């Protein structure tokens, strides 16, 4: 659907003699060029490009946007195709301008960013650039009688500097920033007040605090989230003196040597910064002062954002980088009148860095990345339609976006993983999620010292090389379906049930401990005997329990009982270090990729990330795939651990682990594990909630234990904020349909440039909300209320935007009415916060009794 643009006209500034120089007319590299981007947002009096008219080809004209020309410091602007204005009309225009200035910026239509084809007008360039620069360099002057040149330049007389004058000037500079300073101090108070009241491990501090301790101990671990947020948790621990000796058991009381208060304070700083960022974003989106305060108050007084920022969690960092991405994007949008200048590059690069950071905390940050991507695609498409833009300039725009919005975010994201790998250089519980070559370089791991070439009689572990694969595993439990023989699975953690012995077939001679060593090679047929139970790896024509098209794989028989269904043929695929199979003969541990073909049925041993039910302990199913797909990496295996006293030890120098292979492997393992976080029908998760419950705050969420005498925290948003934010989305849909209908009837309710601003902010607010909310409707994983917190920010932006559209920037309402609306909304937000403040702060007297009461009331409403 293409939205209509407001009507555009060409205007000529006829009052050129009264044109006075302004800061926007100061010379710059952009001004001196013959062309400036037509489709980017503008500033008052900033020329789009120079052109020549048929009336006077010798005199250049500067084409500017009419939506900002009426805000310029120059003379009045009239329609070139209308009758000349009278003196009374000019007087009326000046009177209206003075009224708008007296209104304090509350009721005016401010200069709007333009993202589509602009509404343009022309004015004569009566002052030569050289004369203009000379005049601005001096600072003042006097006009000659002809009104066209400066006949004398008078130096500006500056008064002597005094302390009073200096203080007055400082006060004038600080005055516009007083609201920002006040809100920042209020944010410090609300986020830090009684932050250490609860001295026990709260909610997911049990996970992320422990991960921070792993960084301090340099112990490798695995988690479903990218590493940046957890590295910042570890940094907070290092800065506060934590030695990593506490493993954060859920609900446990912090020992004296753990500086949990100081760690919470440091990790609350991103949550504190959300409030000034909300103010700055509202300013950059050209909201009125009224809406700037409303948006900032909603951010300051939301209890959910407040609670989530007070503990050792990742969510405050995710929210912070989401806020910075939107802020820098708005700043960049406001600089598009000055392409390729310093500030334009700075804000474009900062947007890219922020994208990389938000995606490096949690993958939810990819949703705001999609918002920036759609904005960029539309921007480049609009520039593609500008036939006045030189091809070279258009290519430069593409290069700038690719560099700043693709290369920089990717480098930021990859750098976080590189630092992650450098810090965690000791073997830990999460090793098995990584490739065997990677594990071989961790301190405390003996893979590299294991014998290099396996042989018959070797005891080994086999790791599946498909992304998300684990170690070949068996245990004494049997299948409740199918053959009901002993289960064979893939397990992601190391234990003795992962060990198998390479054994000859039943017909072959048994292994002679004093005879020749027979190395394992391509084409050998063997048995794999489970070291703990003595049973043989077995397959037969029985349907697998989950992958119904595959055959079941089980453990069967013993040292004397078995058949030919225990036979597996070794097929070498290649070697990471030595190349194709034709370049070597013997198999190496760690680096050689193998496939195991069932001799009788011809199927291949596979672990394709299908998850067994609870009777299989939610481990990965191992089956036999009848489709011979040589490129299916889930049929690839490598030898990880290897023990054989008759073989010489290996050498770590023989193994290399490329960074990008490890980087890709870990990301796919994270994705696989994240998708496995599905609701368990056998267990009731009392704090889980669905996406349909979030927008209107149908459910809150308990943050810790609910003992009668314990301190309780309840994740409950500010009801007024959430309800207004959700309702504003529906109001926006009705509003856009209303205006589109009126456009079809040739009725335009917008001043030049306002429709483009309406669409621009709508895309940021509604588009950001949709990108963050809709994916959760189709996700299969378990969800909680805190997943909605980044989404809430975009609906809060929509509240401020619609309040401007209908009230604060509308000329239908008086100043008194606007004050009433502002007071009612702000008072409701602040009053609701004060009423439910104990859900976040905890009363000293009642120890969180209000949180219990709130949950009881919500439960009563649900019933």
């Amino acid at each position: 659907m293409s939205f209509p643009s407001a009507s555009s006209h060409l205007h000529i500034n006829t009052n050129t003699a009264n044109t006075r120089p302004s800061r926007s007319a100061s010379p710059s590299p952009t001004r001196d060029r013959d062309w400036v981007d037509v489709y980017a947002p503008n500033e008052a009096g900033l020329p789009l490009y120079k052109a020549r008219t048929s009336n006077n080809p010798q005199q250049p004209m500067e084409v500017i946007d009419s939506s900002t020309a009426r805000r310029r410091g120059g003379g009045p602007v009239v329609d070139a195709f209308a009758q000349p204005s009278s003196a009374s009309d000019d007087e009326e225009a000046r009177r209206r301008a003075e009224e708008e200035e007296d209104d304090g910026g509350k009721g005016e239509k401010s200069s709007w960013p333009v993202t589509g084809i602009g509404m343009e007008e022309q004015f004569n360039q009566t002052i030569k650039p050289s004369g203009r620069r000379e005049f601005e360099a001096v600072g003042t002057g006097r006009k000659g009688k002809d009104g066209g040149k400066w006949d004398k330049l008078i130096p500006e007389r500056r008064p002597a500097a005094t302390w009073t004058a200096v203080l007055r000037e400082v006060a004038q500079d600080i005055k516009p920033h007083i609201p920002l300073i006040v809100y920042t101090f209020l944010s410090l108070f609300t986020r830090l007040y009684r932050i250490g009241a609860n001295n026990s491990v709260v909610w997911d501090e049990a996970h992320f605090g422990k991960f921070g301790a792993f960084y301090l101990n340099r112990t490798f671990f695995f988690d479903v989230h990218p590493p940046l947020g957890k590295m910042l948790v570890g940094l907070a621990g290092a800065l506060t003196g934590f030695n990593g000796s506490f493993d954060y058991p859920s609900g446990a009381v912090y020992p004296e040597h753990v500086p949990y208060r100081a760690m919470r304070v440091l990790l609350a700083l991103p949550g504190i910064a959300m409030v000034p960022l909300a103010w700055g974003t509202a300013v950059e989106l050209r909201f009125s002062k009224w809406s700037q305060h409303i948006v900032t108050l909603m951010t300051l007084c939301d209890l959910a954002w407040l609670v989530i920022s007070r503990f050792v969690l990742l969510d405050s960092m995710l929210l912070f980088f989401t806020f910075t991405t939107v802020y820098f994007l708005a700043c960049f949008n406001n600089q598009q009148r000055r392409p390729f200048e310093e500030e334009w590059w700075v804000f474009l690069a900062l947007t890219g860095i922020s994208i990389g950071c938000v995606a490096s905390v949690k993958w939810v940050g990819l949703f705001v990345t999609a918002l920036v991507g759609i904005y960029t695609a539309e921007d480049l498409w609009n520039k593609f339609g500008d036939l006045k833009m030189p091809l070279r300039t258009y290519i430069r725009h593409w290069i700038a976006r690719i560099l700043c919005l693709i290369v920089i975010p990717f480098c930021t994201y990859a750098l976080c993983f590189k630092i992650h790998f450098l810090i965690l250089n000791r073997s830990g519980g999460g090793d098995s999620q990584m490739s065997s070559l990677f594990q071989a370089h961790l301190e405390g791991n003996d893979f590299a010292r294991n014998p290099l070439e396996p042989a018959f009689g070797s005891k080994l572990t086999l790791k599946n090389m498909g992304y998300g694969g684990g170690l070949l595993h068996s245990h004494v439990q049997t299948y409740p379906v199918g053959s009901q023989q002993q289960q064979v699975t893939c397990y992601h953690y190391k234990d003795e049930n992962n060990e198998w012995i390479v054994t000859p077939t039943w017909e072959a001679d048994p292994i002679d401990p004093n005879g020749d060593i027979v190395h394992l090679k391509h084409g050998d047929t063997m048995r794999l005997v489970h070291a703990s139970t003595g049973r043989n790896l077995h397959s037969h024509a029985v349907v697998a329990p989950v992958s119904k098209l595959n055959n079941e794989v089980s453990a069967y028989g013993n040292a004397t009982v078995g058949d030919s269904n225990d036979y597996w043929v070794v097929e070498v695929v290649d070697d990471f270090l030595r190349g194709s199979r034709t370049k070597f003969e013997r198999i190496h541990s760690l680096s050689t990729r193998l496939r195991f073909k069932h001799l009788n049925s011809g199927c291949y041993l596979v672990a394709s990330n299908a998850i067994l039910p609870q009777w299989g302990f939610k481990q990965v199913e191992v089956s036999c795939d009848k489709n011979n797909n040589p490129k299916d990496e889930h049929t690839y295996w490598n030898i990880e651990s290897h023990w054989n006293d008759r073989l010489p030890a290996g050498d770590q120098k023989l193994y290399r682990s490329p960074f990008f292979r490890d980087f890709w492997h870990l990301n796919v393992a994270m994705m696989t594990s994240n998708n496995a976080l599905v609701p368990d029908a056998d267990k009731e998760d009392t704090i889980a909630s669905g996406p349909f419950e979030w927008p209107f705050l149908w459910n809150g969420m308990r943050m810790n234990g609910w003992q009668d005498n314990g301190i309780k925290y309840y994740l409950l948003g500010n009801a007024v904020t959430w309800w207004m934010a959700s309702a504003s989305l529906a109001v926006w849909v009705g509003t856009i349909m209303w205006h589109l209908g009126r456009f079809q009837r040739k009725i335009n309710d917008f001043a030049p440039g306002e429709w483009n601003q309406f669409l621009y902010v709508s895309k940021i607010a509604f588009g950001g909300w949709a990108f963050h909310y809709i994916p959760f409707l189709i996700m299969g994983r378990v969800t909680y209320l805190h997943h909605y917190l980044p989404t809430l920010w975009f609906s809060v932006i929509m509240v401020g935007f619609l309040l401007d559209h209908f009230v604060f920037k509308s000329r239908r309402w008086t100043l008194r009415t606007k004050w009433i609306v502002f007071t009612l909304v702000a008072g409701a937000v602040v009053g609701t916060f004060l009423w439910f403040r104990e859900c976040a702060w905890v009363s000293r007297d009642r120890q969180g009794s209000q949180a219990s009461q709130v949950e009881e009331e919500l439960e009563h409403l649900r019933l």
Side-chain angles (χ1 to χ4, degrees):
M1 179 184 294
S2 62
F3 294 131
S5 299
S7 59
S8 59
H9 302 284
L10 286 177
H11 298 274
I12 297 179
N13 186 349
T14 60
N15 193 15
T16 55
N18 295 328
T19 303
R20 63 179 183 270
S22 61
R23 183 176 61 180
S24 62
S26 59
S28 69
T30 304
R31 309 295 190 277
D32 295 337
R33 288 196 295 264
D34 291 335
W35 181 91
V36 179
D37 191 351
V38 180
Y39 297 105
N42 51 52
E43 289 189 359
L46 186 62
L48 297 178
Y49 51 83
K50 295 178 181 178
R52 299 185 184 276
T53 64
S54 59
N55 295 334
N56 190 357
Q58 302 301 322
Q59 187 174 11
M61 315 283 284
E62 287 188 353
V63 182
I64 69 170
D65 195 299
S66 62
S67 64
T68 59
R70 54 194 173 86
R71 302 288 295 165
R72 295 174 62 247
V77 177
V78 297
D79 196 329
F81 303 101
Q83 296 295 328
S85 61
S86 62
S88 60
D89 294 335
D90 293 344
E91 181 64 28
E92 178 66 17
R94 284 193 294 270
R95 185 184 64 79
R96 289 181 179 177
E98 292 174 357
E99 288 179 355
E100 290 179 358
E101 292 178 359
D102 293 340
D103 192 21
K106 303 298 191 298
E108 83 283 7
K109 295 292 185 179
S110 61
S111 58
W112 304 91
V114 176
T115 56
I117 297 178
M119 287 58 69
E120 302 164 356
E121 73 175 306
Q122 298 177 342
F123 69 93
N124 288 325
Q125 185 180 0
T126 59
I127 303 176
K128 294 181 179 180
S130 59
R132 181 181 300 176
R133 286 194 294 269
E134 182 181 2
F135 168 75
E136 291 173 350
V138 176
T140 183
R142 185 175 63 193
K143 294 182 181 178
K145 294 181 180 179
D146 59 355
K149 296 183 179 179
W150 302 94
D151 60 355
K152 188 176 181 180
L153 299 177
I154 305 174
E156 182 180 359
R157 294 182 180 178
R158 297 185 179 180
T162 63
W163 283 108
T164 303
V166 171
L167 292 176
R168 187 182 299 112
E169 185 175 354
V170 171
Q172 289 296 325
D173 292 339
I174 293 177
K175 185 177 179 180
H177 305 293
I178 288 177
L180 178 62
I181 296 171
V182 171
Y183 282 125
T184 302
F185 276 105
L186 290 175
S187 182
L188 281 166
F189 172 74
T190 55
R191 269 61 179 173
L192 300 182
Y193 176 67
R194 304 203 67 220
I195 196 171
N198 192 331
N199 64 345
S200 61
V201 179
V202 175
W203 195 43
D204 276 351
E205 285 186 334
H207 298 295
F208 302 119
K210 178 171 59 179
F211 294 153
F214 284 148
Y215 279 107
L216 296 176
N217 295 325
R218 309 192 70 176
T219 303
F220 193 86
F221 67 94
F222 174 78
D223 182 47
V224 297
H225 301 302
L228 178 59
K230 294 167 290 188
M231 285 195 293
L232 293 176
V233 173
L235 178 63
L239 293 175
T240 55
F242 178 44
N243 59 10
S245 60
F246 184 61
D247 59 356
Y248 287 83
S250 181
V253 176
Y254 283 106
E256 293 183 358
H257 71 274
V258 178
Y260 70 94
R261 289 185 183 87
M263 289 183 65
R264 288 177 179 175
V265 167
L266 288 180
L267 295 174
L269 295 179
I272 293 168
M274 289 166 53
V275 176
L277 280 171
W279 174 270
T281 303
V283 170
E284 294 297 330
L285 292 176
R286 309 294 177 88
F287 287 2
S288 67
K289 291 292 184 183
W290 313 80
S291 286
Q292 291 172 20
H293 285 285
I294 292 295
V295 169
T296 310
L297 281 173
M298 285 183 167
T299 307
L300 174 70
C301 297
D302 186 74
L303 290 160
W305 280 338
L306 171 60
V307 171
I308 209 72
S309 301
R310 292 164 58 84
F311 301 103
V312 182
L313 304 172
L314 304 185
D315 298 88
S316 63
M317 289 172 274
L318 173 67
L319 289 167
F320 170 75
F321 288 121
T322 301
F323 275 54
T324 57
T325 302
V326 178
Y327 173 72
F328 291 135
L329 178 63
C331 292
F332 169 72
N333 187 74
N334 291 334
Q335 293 296 324
Q336 287 220 51
R337 274 297 134 206
R338 301 184 177 91
F340 309 113
E341 290 190 1
E342 182 179 355
E343 290 188 357
W344 186 90
W345 278 110
V346 166
F347 287 119
L348 183 60
L350 288 175
T351 303
I353 293 172
S354 187
I355 288 173
C357 290
V358 70
S360 299
V361 175
K362 284 186 177 181
W363 278 350
V364 175
L366 294 175
F367 301 150
V368 74
T369 304
L371 175 65
V372 177
I374 294 297
Y375 166 88
T376 304
E378 182 189 22
D379 181 37
L380 292 173
W381 177 253
N382 288 336
K383 288 176 170 57
F384 179 73
D386 179 15
L387 300 181
K388 298 182 184 299
M389 179 182 291
L391 177 61
R392 182 176 181 179
T393 303
Y394 184 64
I395 294 174
R396 288 181 67 194
H397 278 287
W398 269 95
I399 294 174
R401 268 62 168 195
I402 292 173
L403 175 64
C404 294
L405 300 182
I406 297 178
V407 176
I408 288 180
F410 176 77
C411 290
T412 302
Y413 185 76
L415 179 63
C416 293
F417 282 86
K418 182 64 175 180
I419 297 173
H420 176 77
F421 292 150
L422 290 175
I423 295 175
L424 304 181
N425 63 347
R426 296 178 181 174
S427 179
D431 293 11
S432 56
Q433 289 285 356
M434 298 300 297
S435 68
S436 301
L437 280 176
F438 176 85
Q439 297 178 57
H441 292 272
L442 296 176
E443 295 182 10
N445 190 298
D446 59 353
F447 289 172
R449 296 192 299 271
N450 291 338
L452 182 63
E453 299 174 341
F456 281 90
S458 293
K459 184 168 66 173
L460 46 79
T461 61
L462 293 172
K463 181 175 177 61
N464 186 264
M465 302 193 70
Y467 295 112
L471 295 163
L472 187 65
H473 177 92
S474 184
H475 39 243
V476 295
Q477 286 77 11
T478 59
Y479 291 112
V481 294
S483 66
Q484 299 185 353
Q485 295 175 1
Q486 184 171 301
Q487 296 177 17
V488 174
T489 66
C490 253
Y491 189 51
H492 287 105
Y493 300 93
K494 299 173 183 177
D495 67 17
E496 60 182 9
N497 284 328
N498 301 332
E499 298 170 2
W500 302 82
I501 300 174
V502 179
T503 308
T505 61
W506 294 109
E507 296 80 11
D509 296 331
I511 298 172
D512 183 1
N514 299 318
D516 295 335
I517 297 176
V518 181
H519 289 282
L520 194 65
K521 60 184 182 297
H522 174 74
D524 284 348
T525 301
M526 64 170 186
R527 289 186 294 132
L528 284 173
V529 178
H530 192 235
S532 296
T533 61
R535 300 190 181 276
N536 304 294
L537 186 69
H538 184 89
S539 184
H540 40 220
V542 177
V543 176
V546 178
S547 303
K548 300 298 184 181
L549 298 179
N550 296 348
N551 289 341
E552 178 190 83
V553 173
S554 63
Y556 168 74
N558 50 39
T560 57
V561 176
D563 54 31
S564 60
N565 282 330
D566 303 334
Y567 295 167
W568 299 87
V569 179
V570 179
E571 294 184 0
V572 174
V573 179
D574 58 19
D575 192 283
F576 280 136
L577 305 179
R578 294 179 292 170
S580 64
R581 187 183 67 194
T582 58
K583 296 181 179 180
F584 59 91
E585 180 179 359
R586 292 182 181 179
I587 295 171
H588 282 187
S589 60
L590 300 178
S591 61
T592 303
R593 298 197 294 181
L594 310 170
R595 301 177 81 202
F596 296 99
K597 179 181 178 181
H598 191 246
L599 182 63
N600 288 347
S601 61
C603 59
Y604 286 83
L605 191 68
V606 64
S608 56
N609 289 329
I611 305 300
L612 293 170
Q614 190 61 48
W615 51 258
F617 308 102
K618 299 289 185 180
Q619 295 176 11
V620 177
E621 178 195 46
V622 173
S623 60
C624 203
D625 188 1
K626 290 177 284 187
N627 296 320
N628 181 14
N629 182 6
K631 296 183 179 180
D632 184 5
E633 293 194 353
H634 291 97
T635 63
Y636 294 177
W637 302 80
N638 72 269
I639 297 171
E640 187 169 273
S641 299
H642 177 210
W643 301 273
N644 192 324
D645 295 336
R646 302 182 65 193
L647 297 173
D651 186 356
Q652 189 177 22
K653 295 180 181 180
L654 299 175
Y655 303 111
R656 301 187 308 272
S657 182
F659 164 72
F660 281 106
R661 180 179 293 163
D662 296 331
F663 168 77
W664 180 253
H665 188 105
L666 180 55
N667 275 269
V668 176
M670 288 160 47
M671 180 182 63
T672 303
S673 298
N674 197 31
N675 292 337
L677 298 176
V678 296
D680 191 347
D682 299 332
K683 297 180 180 180
E684 181 181 3
D685 193 343
T686 58
I687 65 174
S689 58
F692 289 108
E693 303 174 13
W694 300 339
F696 290 96
L697 206 60
W698 183 248
N699 269 324
M701 188 175 74
R702 291 187 289 110
M703 296 287 291
N704 57 344
W706 223 239
Q707 297 85 2
D708 291 338
N709 297 324
I711 294 178
K712 305 177 181 67
Y713 295 96
Y714 197 63
L715 189 71
L716 181 72
N718 188 309
V720 173
T721 298
W722 287 53
W723 293 346
M724 287 187 64
S726 300
S728 69
L729 300 168
V731 172
W732 176 84
V733 173
T735 302
I736 197 77
M737 297 302 295
W738 166 262
H739 287 304
L740 290 176
R742 288 176 66 82
F743 277 130
Q744 292 296 322
R745 299 176 62 191
K746 308 301 181 183
I747 302 174
N748 183 10
D749 299 315
F750 295 88
E754 292 182 10
W755 174 245
N756 290 317
Q757 170 71 3
F758 185 91
L759 292 181
Y760 161 64
V761 181
S762 295
K763 293 167 188 174
I764 295 295
F766 189 83
W769 179 87
F771 276 125
H772 282 75
Y773 181 70
I774 293 176
F776 284 102
L777 299 178
I778 58 178
M779 282 185 185
R781 62 155 295 165
V782 61
T783 55
Y784 301 94
L785 180 62
H786 73 282
H787 288 138
Y788 189 72
L789 296 184
T791 314
L792 178 65
W793 170 230
F794 297 94
S795 55
V796 168
I797 292 176
M798 183 67 80
V799 172
F801 172 55
L802 291 183
L803 285 175
D804 266 354
H805 182 71
F806 288 110
V807 182
F808 298 140
K809 287 187 176 180
S810 173
R811 300 186 185 278
R812 295 187 179 94
W813 309 107
T814 63
L815 185 62
R816 179 181 179 183
T817 303
K818 295 175 183 179
W819 269 111
I820 292 173
V821 173
F822 173 80
T823 304
L824 289 176
V825 175
V829 171
V830 176
T832 305
F833 165 75
L834 294 176
W835 182 260
F836 291 101
R837 66 188 183 278
E838 292 179 9
C839 292
W841 283 348
V842 182
S843 171
R844 291 180 180 273
D845 301 326
R846 290 185 283 177
Q847 294 287 302
S849 60
Q850 187 181 22
S852 302
Q853 182 181 358
V854 168
E855 186 176 34
E856 291 174 2
E857 292 175 356
L858 288 174
E859 184 65 26
H860 177 71
L861 290 173
R862 288 194 294 271
L863 294 176

